[in-house]
Amino acid sequence: MIQQVEITLPGFRRGYHLITRLIEENLHELPSTGLLHILVKHTSAGITINENADPSVRSDFEAFMNKMIPDNDPVYIHTDEGADDMPGHLKASIIGAELTIPITNHRLNLGTWQGIYFCEFRNYGGSRKIIATIMS
Amino acid sequence: MIQQVEITLPGFRRGYHLITRLIEENLHELPSTGLLHILVKHTSAGITINENADPSVRSDFEAFMNKMIPDNDPVYIHTDEGADDMPGHLKASIIGAELTIPITNHRLNLGTWQGIYFCEFRNYGGSRKIIATIMS
Amino acid sequence: MIQQVEITLPGFRRGYHLITRLIEENLHELPSTGLLHILVKHTSAGITINENADPSVRSDFEAFMNKMIPDNDPVYIHTDEGADDMPGHLKASIIGAELTIPITNHRLNLGTWQGIYFCEFRNYGGSRKIIATIMS
């Protein structure tokens, strides 16, 4: 069986945001066993699984990723949409814009310390859309 | 229901190439709702979702990824297959060799600005094979 | 049809390890056509597809990823759990903690040179759990 839901995220500030609960609240009852797939429908935002406890992990992600993939790198030609646009595209493909999570006993089967991060790479990304697809 | 198709890509030059239409043309009619999974069957090529409009995004990808993961980095020991081989392996795992896209109303449910990039990391990669699997 | 198996990996040393055979041995007979999804249930380990032949590819991965995402980078605030913790979280999201592989004719449909790497980013990660889900 397949269920599919479009979820509209609020405008998040640039950075990494824990959205596990937000995702769960927007899904109907999960099947006993299956897979949940999530796509972010944008090219300067991402989604990943990482540590769900200490907020300093999320701020270190923002700091390190900005160092590894800087705004205003001299190689960028695509600069018309702002200094945060091309690094946002690069981060979207390096972190990824989609992921799949197993479902077991009607729950997301993540590790104890795992949560879902929504990654906003623009300074003012605004509201964002994701598509959740459940296969069972 | 499951459908599976092997698609042979033409030899692309080193760089990032928009293949959304090529993929769609090689698939039979898509189901009303489902998922499309794509695997690149090679270890120095990748697949990702990114901006489908301005070609300078794709050339900036090539320029920046080559700066972040250079040919001829002094740490490489695996150099027998050429200066573009080990960086190609690294890029394949950092960009990824597989992805999943939701299907809605018989179409790929990508954002307005999203397209599928085939990423050729070798100077002369030649023809490449991908496996498309549709679950519905 | 859906099958799901939890697999416990032995404690691997920090680095990149070929686990294709270990995964296959822990799965029941594969369906004729389908998808295998694998999630690593940890936030400082990853899973990816890469070259299955020359071990120097795996040691170059360890060397280059440590250069690109160093232990003890000065931007890290999250340092209480050790110098290998925050870089491990970053690598987990850059390499990824989950992937999907097509199944064709009762076998994983990987390229000739592709294998599954388990990526241990901690110095002493200990035993790790993964969830394998087969959809057919």
Side-chain angles (χ1 to χ4, degrees):
Chain A
M1 216 182 81
I2 310 179
Q3 301 170 56
Q4 210 168 52
V5 185
E6 183 177 273
I7 302 172
T8 302
L9 301 180
F12 282 111
R13 73 174 191 285
R14 179 168 168 163
Y16 295 74
H17 306 274
L18 202 50
I19 60 164
T20 319
R21 192 164 303 170
L22 185 156
I23 297 283
E24 287 169 337
E25 286 169 357
N26 277 277
L27 301 175
H28 306 287
E29 200 201 354
L30 295 177
S32 62
T33 311
L35 291 173
L36 167 65
H37 177 262
I38 303 172
L39 171 74
V40 176
K41 291 187 73 171
H42 304 271
T43 61
S44 53
I47 193 159
T48 190
I49 297 168
N50 221 292
E51 212 242 40
N52 61 15
D54 187 343
S56 68
V57 174
R58 271 109 72 197
S59 57
D60 279 4
F61 256 90
E62 179 64 14
F64 185 82
M65 293 297 288
N66 288 342
K67 184 174 176 178
M68 188 171 88
I69 305 166
D71 290 8
N72 296 309
D73 190 278
V75 306
Y76 303 148
I77 291 168
H78 179 84
T79 54
D80 287 354
E81 295 170 54
D84 56 337
D85 187 60
M86 191 58 218
H89 292 317
L90 289 160
K91 290 169 184 169
S93 284
I94 288 168
I95 293 291
E98 54 87 33
L99 55 73
T100 303
I101 295 170
I103 297 165
T104 310
N105 296 329
H106 304 280
R107 303 185 64 163
L108 297 184
N109 193 347
L110 290 168
T112 310
W113 302 103
Q114 287 182 313
I116 305 169
Y117 284 16
F118 175 75
C119 317
E120 177 54 72
F121 300 131
R122 299 300 305 260
N123 295 329
Y124 304 100
S127 174
R128 300 290 205 174
K129 285 194 189 304
I130 64 180
I131 305 292
T133 305
I134 296 168
M135 306 229 37
S136 61
Chain B
M1 215 182 82
I2 310 179
Q3 301 168 57
Q4 210 168 52
V5 185
E6 183 176 272
I7 302 171
T8 301
L9 301 180
F12 282 112
R13 72 173 191 285
R14 179 168 167 162
Y16 296 74
H17 305 275
L18 202 50
I19 60 163
T20 319
R21 191 164 303 169
L22 184 156
I23 297 283
E24 287 169 338
E25 286 170 357
N26 277 277
L27 301 176
H28 306 288
E29 201 201 354
L30 296 177
S32 63
T33 312
L35 292 172
L36 167 65
H37 177 263
I38 303 171
L39 171 74
V40 176
K41 291 186 73 171
H42 304 271
T43 61
S44 52
I47 193 159
T48 189
I49 298 167
N50 221 292
E51 212 243 39
N52 62 15
D54 188 343
S56 68
V57 174
R58 270 109 73 197
S59 56
D60 279 4
F61 256 89
E62 179 65 13
F64 186 81
M65 292 298 287
N66 288 342
K67 184 174 175 177
M68 188 171 88
I69 305 166
D71 290 7
N72 296 310
D73 191 277
V75 306
Y76 304 148
I77 291 168
H78 180 83
T79 53
D80 287 355
E81 295 171 53
D84 57 335
D85 187 61
M86 191 59 218
H89 292 317
L90 289 160
K91 291 169 183 168
S93 284
I94 287 168
I95 293 290
E98 53 88 32
L99 55 72
T100 303
I101 296 171
I103 297 165
T104 310
N105 295 328
H106 305 280
R107 302 185 65 164
L108 297 184
N109 193 346
L110 290 168
T112 309
W113 302 104
Q114 288 182 313
I116 304 170
Y117 284 16
F118 175 75
C119 317
E120 177 54 72
F121 301 131
R122 298 301 305 260
N123 295 329
Y124 303 102
S127 174
R128 300 290 206 173
K129 285 194 188 305
I130 64 180
I131 304 292
T133 306
I134 296 168
M135 306 228 37
S136 62
Chain C
M1 215 183 82
I2 310 179
Q3 302 169 56
Q4 209 168 52
V5 184
E6 184 177 273
I7 301 171
T8 302
L9 301 180
F12 282 111
R13 73 172 191 286
R14 180 167 168 164
Y16 296 73
H17 305 274
L18 202 51
I19 59 163
T20 319
R21 191 164 304 171
L22 184 156
I23 297 283
E24 286 170 336
E25 286 170 356
N26 276 276
L27 301 176
H28 306 287
E29 201 201 356
L30 296 178
S32 63
T33 312
L35 292 172
L36 167 65
H37 178 263
I38 303 171
L39 170 74
V40 176
K41 291 187 72 171
H42 304 270
T43 61
S44 52
I47 193 158
T48 189
I49 298 167
N50 221 292
E51 213 242 38
N52 62 14
D54 187 344
S56 68
V57 174
R58 272 108 73 197
S59 57
D60 279 4
F61 256 89
E62 179 64 14
F64 185 82
M65 292 298 287
N66 288 342
K67 183 175 176 178
M68 188 171 88
I69 305 166
D71 290 8
N72 296 310
D73 191 277
V75 306
Y76 304 149
I77 291 167
H78 180 83
T79 53
D80 287 354
E81 295 170 54
D84 57 336
D85 187 61
M86 191 59 218
H89 291 318
L90 289 159
K91 290 169 184 167
S93 283
I94 288 167
I95 293 290
E98 54 88 33
L99 55 73
T100 303
I101 296 171
I103 296 165
T104 309
N105 295 329
H106 305 280
R107 303 185 64 164
L108 296 184
N109 193 346
L110 290 168
T112 309
W113 301 103
Q114 288 183 312
I116 305 170
Y117 284 16
F118 175 75
C119 317
E120 177 55 72
F121 301 131
R122 299 301 304 261
N123 295 329
Y124 303 100
S127 174
R128 301 289 206 173
K129 286 193 188 305
I130 64 181
I131 304 292
T133 305
I134 296 168
M135 305 228 38
S136 61

